[in-house]
Amino acid sequence: MGFSDIPNLQWILFGVFLFIYLTILMCNSIIILITRINPALQTPMYFFLSNFSFLEICYVTVTIPRMLMDLCTQKGNISLLACATQMCFVLMLGGTECLLLTVMAYDRYVAICHPLRYCLVMNHRVCTKLVAGSWISGVPVGIRHTYQIFSLPFCGSNRINHFFCDVPPILKLTCGDTFVNEISVYVATVIFLLVPFLLIVVSYGKIICNIMKLSSARGRAKAFSTCSSHLIVVVLFYGTATIAYLQPKPHQAVKGQEN
């Protein structure tokens, strides 16, 4: 369905999202390029940042170009295979982003709380393994959940009230028993959302405690500045995910009022 409820704004939305998409591509590409060619930025922090920028490019490319095409053609048709492929990549990249944000939080924790051991702990081999683990771990989860969902029988309407193939709207179209799928989604949510978030909170809790012990106000400001951008991204990512997936659904709210 996309943005079919506001047809008069289709071309305005197309222009806005196209600008956003091109900005994301340009800015993240510049970050990757600078971190590759500047010898002074060959550090673990910028290594993780360049991987995160590449991840963001992949993430938005999975959804926005398709949405732009739907806004342009105003058809909104997508094949079952394309829908499954889009969902699979969204799940894989979403899981990777959660893990990569956790790795970046750990990097900041070691840099601030154990500065003398930083180069030893966060050597190139360890950083490569952490990044590779973040990318690889999301693959089986995305493939498994996509296969489980699209193995269910579909009946009735073939319309989803969304602008991309996400898990909740697709599950509404199935006429089989979705209990196992919903449990799998909750388990994956705990593993890839809740656990990484708790690890990030613990890391920043220790970072803040360590910063507060610094006697120099300039030192505290410098330490906070190295974490501020990452912390903003964490808040935005988990904040929007909470609003999108963890808020009570309308039928749940009605049921609660009836009880």
Side-chain angles (χ1 to χ4, degrees), residues 117-250:
R117 298 177 55 197
Y118 180 69
C119 293
L120 180 64
V121 175
M122 301 302 294
N123 58 66
H124 182 71
R125 185 179 179 182
V126 171
C127 294
T128 303
K129 287 183 177 180
L130 289 173
V131 168
S134 299
W135 281 96
I136 295 172
S137 297
V139 174
V141 175
I143 295 175
R144 179 187 175 187
H145 283 300
T146 304
Y147 175 77
Q148 284 183 334
I149 292 171
F150 282 87
S151 295
L152 294 169
F154 290 88
C155 57
S157 174
N158 61 349
R159 297 173 178 267
I160 58 172
N161 188 21
H162 215 314
F163 61 90
F164 74 98
C165 291
D166 203 5
V167 175
I170 295 296
L171 282 177
K172 291 180 181 179
L173 304 184
T174 62
C175 52
D177 185 9
T178 62
F179 177 75
V180 175
N181 299 84
E182 291 174 354
I183 293 298
S184 299
V185 170
Y186 287 135
V187 171
T189 301
V190 170
I191 295 175
F192 283 90
L193 278 176
L194 185 58
V195 172
F197 179 72
L198 291 176
L199 291 174
I200 292 173
V201 170
V202 171
S203 297
Y204 272 102
K206 293 185 177 182
I207 287 172
I208 293 172
C209 290
N210 194 77
I211 291 176
M212 290 296 101
K213 295 178 182 178
L214 297 176
S215 57
S216 170
R218 184 178 179 180
R220 288 196 296 268
K222 184 178 180 180
F224 273 121
S225 67
T226 62
C227 303
S228 58
S229 58
H230 175 261
L231 192 58
I232 291 172
V233 172
V234 169
V235 172
L236 289 174
F237 179 75
Y238 280 96
T240 52
T242 300
I243 294 172
Y245 296 104
L246 299 183
Q247 64 177 344
K249 302 296 184 292

Side-chain angles (χ1 to χ4, degrees), residues 4 8 26 32 35 80 118 128 143 172 190 228 255 257:
S4 57
N8 296 331
M26 182 182 67
I32 295 172
T35 55
L80 200 64
Y118 180 69
T128 303
I143 295 175
K172 291 180 181 179
V190 170
S228 58
K255 185 181 289 185
Q257 292 174 1

Side-chain angles (χ1 to χ4, degrees), residues 6-107:
I6 44 176
N8 296 331
L9 299 179
Q10 296 288 334
W11 289 109
I12 296 177
L13 291 173
F14 177 84
V16 170
F17 287 118
L18 178 62
F19 174 77
I20 292 174
Y21 180 58
L22 294 177
T23 302
I24 292 172
L25 292 183
M26 182 182 67
C27 293
N28 284 286
S29 297
I30 291 173
I31 290 174
I32 295 172
L33 180 63
I34 292 175
T35 55
R36 294 295 182 185
I37 65 176
N38 191 336
L41 302 181
Q42 304 299 315
T43 62
M45 181 176 71
Y46 290 103
F47 174 68
F48 294 134
L49 181 60
S50 63
N51 274 273
F52 188 79
S53 295
F54 178 69
L55 174 65
E56 287 301 301
I57 291 175
C58 296
Y59 210 163
V60 297
T61 301
V62 172
T63 55
I64 295 184
R66 179 78 208 192
M67 181 179 65
L68 292 174
M69 186 179 73
D70 292 338
L71 286 170
C72 185
T73 61
Q74 298 188 9
K75 291 182 178 180
N77 297 326
I78 186 170
S79 67
L80 200 64
L81 178 60
C83 186
T85 303
Q86 187 182 58
M87 178 188 290
C88 185
F89 276 102
V90 167
L91 292 173
M92 287 192 299
L93 296 172
T96 299
E97 182 155 358
C98 293
L99 296 177
L100 196 55
L101 285 172
T102 307
V103 169
M104 295 173 76
Y106 176 69
D107 172 68

